[in-house]
Amino acid sequence: MNIVVLGSAAGGGFPQWNCNCRNCAGLRNGTVRATARTQSSIAVSANGTDWVLINASPDILAQIRATPALQPARGQRDTGIAAVMLMDAQIDHVTGLLMLREGKELPLYCTAQVWRELNQGLPLVPVLSHYCGVRWHALPIEGGMHVPGIDGIRFTPLALNSKAPPYSDHRNDPHPGDNIGLLIEDTQTGKSVFYAPGLGAIDPQVDAALQTADCVLVDGTFWRADEMIALGFSKKTAADMGHLPQSGDGGMIAVLDGIKARRKVLIHINNTNPILDEDSAERALLARHGIEVAFDGMEIKS
């Protein structure tokens, strides 16, 4: 099994187009040692040719160009993307679907809640029906499943304690399936990765997945619970936005310290998070705890 991190940033990417926080301004003017990142997405393959795209970010075209394996060039028109699987209906995870409209009918795996949003709240499916069309496969809230053509990989969705997108008519009334994590297992080697870019709380089933997985690729959005408030960008806490911060009691560092995974990686990193600065004290603290920071192009193999 091979997993490629196509994008490792939260919504807006890094640097964010309209932001002049210390990180964004520092990357632009060279005063902060950091690497630009596109919006979060990963691709999973068993054979290196046929891939499941997990989340379709607005940066998908740049991500495909940067990942030659996604274009195997077996014909005049071709793609290595065999299917798309969505973790939620957030704008930074779904609007890339529109960029795939020149292809054939798109096999799309998502929960009933996400499918509803993509037909009503953010009606991408009706728009795509005028181009390639979409063939929906319902993701179960519990129980594993396989994607045709992706032999040897089992996907087990887990409902997360998080939030629907801000545009949703039940933003403040969470429903199971609004947001999922994925346990991705190589059925030949037995190795597994737990992927959860939007993780608001650790409930028993999430804890079990974290304890089971050989590698965890989890929410790295904010360092502090009040990060956006302290910087004057928002009145919302990390929890208000459905994310567990890294620092503080019960934060992601404490959670990851309690598991035995071989690799512990943070993804979906907001442009304000000090861990993007490779010389920061926060980045050094992560290293002491054996926690990696995802970057575009990172590979995870089982």
Side-chain angles (χ1 to χ4, degrees), residues 168-204:
S168 174
D169 60 5
H170 63 270
R171 167 69 169 176
N172 296 312
D173 177 25
H175 291 49
D178 285 335
N179 192 302
I180 63 167
L182 276 176
L183 186 64
I184 308 167
E185 301 171 89
D186 185 323
T187 58
Q188 292 186 337
T189 65
K191 301 295 185 181
S192 62
V193 174
F194 180 60
Y195 178 49
L199 190 54
I202 309 298
D203 60 24

Side-chain angles (χ1 to χ4, degrees), residues 66-205:
T67 313
L70 295 181
Q71 179 46 268
R74 296 164 293 193
Q76 286 187 307
R77 291 286 178 95
D78 195 19
T79 179
I81 299 172
V84 180
M85 189 175 293
L86 301 177
M87 311 290 289
D88 52 49
Q90 298 285 352
I91 283 177
D92 54 317
H93 288 161
V94 303
T95 48
L97 293 172
L98 294 173
M99 300 300 102
L100 304 177
R101 67 190 181 278
E102 294 91 355
K104 297 178 181 179
E105 186 180 46
L106 190 64
L108 183 65
Y109 292 77
C110 64
T111 66
Q113 285 299 127
V114 171
W115 181 248
R116 175 182 176 274
E117 300 289 6
L118 297 185
N119 278 277
Q120 298 179 28
L122 182 66
L124 299 185
V125 171
V127 172
L128 285 169
S129 71
H130 297 283
Y131 297 90
C132 59
V134 176
R135 185 169 70 256
W136 178 45
H137 301 268
L139 276 181
I141 296 299
E142 53 186 53
M145 47 83 64
H146 296 269
V147 174
I150 310 295
D151 298 329
I153 298 180
R154 179 181 176 87
F155 298 89
T156 302
L158 300 174
L160 299 184
N161 184 351
S162 192
K163 292 195 171 187
Y167 65 79
S168 174
D169 60 5
H170 63 270
R171 167 69 169 176
N172 296 312
D173 177 25
H175 291 49
D178 285 335
N179 192 302
I180 63 167
L182 276 176
L183 186 64
I184 308 167
E185 301 171 89
D186 185 323
T187 58
Q188 292 186 337
T189 65
K191 301 295 185 181
S192 62
V193 174
F194 180 60
Y195 178 49
L199 190 54
I202 309 298
D203 60 24
Q205 67 172 354

